[in-house]
Amino acid sequence: MRRRGLMSRGPRSTATRLLPAMLIVATACAAPASAQVGGQPPAARPTTPATRTTPQPPAAAMIVASQAPEPTFDEGTGLRIAAAMLSYSAIEVRGGWPTLPASAAKLAPGASGPDVALLRQRLAMTDDLAPEQAAGQSYDSALTAAVRRFQARHGLEQTGSIGPKTYAALNIPVTRRLRQLAASLDRLAAMDFAFGHRYVVVNLPAATAEAVVGDKVVRRYVVQVGKPDRPSPTLTTHITTVNLNPTWTVPLGILKKDVIPKMRKDPGYAPRMHMKVLDGAGNEVDPHTVDWNSDRAPNFTIRQDSGTWNALGSVRIDMPNPHSVYMHDTNHKEFFSADYRFQSSGCTRVDDPRGLAAWLLEDMPGWGRKEIDAGIARGQKIDIRLAHKVPVAWIYFTGWTTRDGLIHFRDDVYGHDEHPVRPLVADLRPPVATAARAGGFVLQSADVRPVPAAQVSYLDSQ
């Protein structure tokens, strides 16, 4: 495996010490290519009510998963986030971007008026609209494309029209966006990851997974991740095994929180869900003979058989980690079409797990997509150990920049930005502060100690 870049495997403190130098270099890189800074403060909002022509029907929404080849996480991610922070700092110094009034919340192609003029100014400041097109009061094709670009950067449905979610994202102040970038950079500095030629990245706030080869995304997947009260953990490890037709041993947290309450109401729930109740010796127990109101109820193990009813579906992608989480199929396919995909108990559910399994097994003779499908059709549990382990990282980036210069943001679903493990401070160290003031300011961690991994409860684990 090639060891490359800032986040190559080694002592975490080394990666953290290198971060200030990376921020200094970013000062020179923070050009309007990362964000259209603009030379003038935002114009005051016109007070004249907007006039509209009959809006054109919105274009069909694009797919949720982007087809762009740039990965969310690579060796240059930290440097690019730092550059984006400096660019957004310049916008903040100039007063931030204008706030759109409530009357702009339903703008669509074909509209015109002062609200449209303000929208054009807003999108030009973040380089979604070319600076020479910032003036005007018409919701034309250029503005429609700019809105789609903004929606793509924020993981929104790309309609080209202003709906409630797009309106809310447009009005998030630049100070909050800076906070997201700073918090993401701080979490990156604490990571210990060795990039391989092939690796997998799951960005939890974006609810997407990427299979990367040679610094390009070759497959991108829509995923479901942990609920806010059962969050998926961040981790770095290796994918070692693909399991076909897996069984599922219900973890203790889910057993207590979900299964036992159902068993108290109906002991027939277990056999109906193709679950077996096992005692400490592994012997099957009739669920009707168990007092599910007893404190001893959690001492039983419940295992779900392989099959279409199984919570893990037909494929599990295994990776050793202290949180006992993994990637897998699901029998809840309906959630993949939603833009809110925080529905699991900690694991990552993949919309095309067979495709991901086939990619992972590319260098395994006899395990192409047809063979995987045939193995699943036989219904027997099969464990396929990878010939070469594939690095995988589950990251929590609410703000990041890709190699094409686009700055992306996602909602802080788990609240990690507001409650960071380590405090973020401005201009903490004099050498960094002196260099950074030339381009704005820098946020960095006040603590360079490694962050210990915390156990996550209520996980889809075995």
Side-chain angles (χ1 to χ4, degrees):
M1 176 182 296
R2 289 186 293 148
R3 299 188 185 278
R4 304 175 293 167
L6 172 64
M7 294 296 107
S8 62
R9 190 168 300 279
R12 296 189 185 191
S13 57
T14 301
T16 307
R17 286 197 301 269
L18 289 175
L19 183 57
M22 182 175 68
L23 291 170
I24 293 173
V25 175
T27 305
C29 302
S34 293
Q36 179 60 45
V37 175
Q40 300 295 331
R45 180 171 63 85
T47 56
T48 307
T51 58
R52 295 180 176 83
T53 60
T54 302
Q56 301 172 3
M62 299 181 184
I63 59 174
V64 175
S66 167
Q67 300 302 306
E70 294 81 17
T72 298
F73 181 39
D74 61 22
E75 296 164 297
T77 300
L79 181 63
R80 292 192 300 269
I81 293 177
M85 289 172 60
L86 292 170
S87 291
Y88 272 51
S89 298
I91 296 177
E92 184 185 43
V93 168
R94 290 167 172 80
W97 44 64
T99 299
L100 299 177
S103 54
K106 295 183 179 180
L107 289 175
S112 63
D115 287 352
V116 176
L118 198 64
L119 175 61
R120 298 183 81 97
Q121 295 170 27
R122 165 65 182 86
L123 292 174
M125 293 191 71
T126 47
D127 208 28
D128 295 296
L129 184 67
E132 61 271 16
Q133 295 177 323
Q137 296 193 358
S138 174
Y139 204 130
D140 55 16
S141 59
L143 183 58
T144 303
V147 171
R148 284 199 178 113
R149 176 183 168 100
F150 176 89
Q151 290 168 331
R153 292 194 303 110
H154 293 76
L156 301 170
E157 199 173 59
Q158 297 172 49
T159 62
S161 299
I162 306 301
K165 293 180 180 179
T166 301
Y167 174 75
L170 284 163
N171 278 344
I172 290 177
V174 66
T175 52
R176 183 170 161 192
R177 293 307 190 195
L178 273 166
R179 180 74 179 181
Q180 291 181 273
L181 291 166
S184 297
L185 185 61
D186 196 53
R187 286 187 287 268
L188 185 152
M191 291 180 64
D192 180 17
F193 186 65
F195 290 96
H197 179 66
R198 303 169 81 237
Y199 64 96
V200 174
V201 175
V202 178
N203 189 15
L204 302 174
T208 57
E210 298 168 353
V212 183
V213 177
D215 299 326
K216 291 187 180 297
V217 176
V218 295
R219 297 170 184 247
R220 186 175 278 111
Y221 303 92
V222 175
V223 302
Q224 303 169 32
V225 296
K227 302 174 184 178
D229 62 337
R230 305 182 184 189
S232 297
T234 56
L235 57 86
T236 59
T237 183
H238 291 82
I239 295 171
T240 59
T241 310
V242 172
N243 311 118
L244 305 183
N245 300 313
T247 58
W248 180 47
T249 300
V250 181
L252 183 60
I254 294 178
L255 183 67
K256 290 180 177 179
K257 192 177 182 70
D258 299 328
V259 176
I260 289 179
K262 290 183 173 65
M263 297 295 286
R264 287 171 179 166
K265 296 179 181 178
D266 177 18
Y269 171 80
R272 190 166 62 252
M273 298 301 293
H274 303 270
M275 292 177 171
K276 291 182 172 64
V277 180
L278 308 174
D279 62 18
N283 300 312
E284 188 172 354
V285 177
D286 184 348
H288 293 85
T289 65
V290 176
D291 180 6
W292 294 105
N293 291 299
S294 168
D295 293 338
R296 293 187 63 254
N299 294 335
F300 291 94
T301 297
I302 295 184
R303 187 179 64 213
Q304 190 175 40
D305 296 335
S306 303
T308 56
W309 48 78
N310 190 282
L312 307 186
S314 58
V315 177
R316 179 178 62 193
I317 296 167
D318 214 359
M319 55 194 74
N321 64 88
H323 309 284
S324 300
V325 293
Y326 38 81
M327 303 172 74
H328 64 86
D329 189 10
T330 179
N331 50 16
H332 289 290
K333 308 287 189 184
E334 67 275 11
F335 294 131
F336 288 120
S337 60
D339 54 4
Y340 184 89
R341 299 189 297 278
F342 304 91
Q343 304 286 355
S344 83
S345 292
C347 284
T348 295
R349 305 168 179 170
V350 185
D351 67 335
D352 182 16
R354 297 188 189 197
L356 179 56
W359 179 79
L360 290 167
L361 297 172
E362 278 183 354
D363 58 352
M364 296 282 291
W367 281 112
R369 178 61 185 263
K370 290 183 179 179
E371 290 80 7
I372 291 173
D373 290 342
I376 292 171
R378 287 195 293 270
Q380 297 178 342
K381 186 175 181 293
I382 304 173
D383 298 329
I384 311 167
R385 194 163 187 84
L386 272 62
H388 302 97
K389 298 184 293 185
V390 176
V392 58
W394 291 16
I395 60 177
Y396 194 88
F397 289 176
T398 54
W400 74 96
T401 309
T402 45
R403 284 197 307 267
D404 55 5
L406 292 181
I407 304 175
H408 301 261
F409 294 101
R410 296 296 186 272
D411 290 341
D412 180 20
V413 178
Y414 297 160
H416 292 344
D417 292 350
E418 298 304 319
H419 305 286
V421 175
R422 299 178 295 182
L424 297 171
V425 295
D427 295 337
L428 179 63
R429 297 175 184 173
V432 177
T434 301
R437 283 196 184 99
F441 80 125
V442 171
L443 293 180
Q444 68 182 68
S445 174
D447 187 353
V448 299
R449 292 173 298 175
V451 180
Q455 185 69 32
V456 178
S457 58
Y458 306 132
L459 300 178
D460 301 328
S461 62
Q462 180 177 11

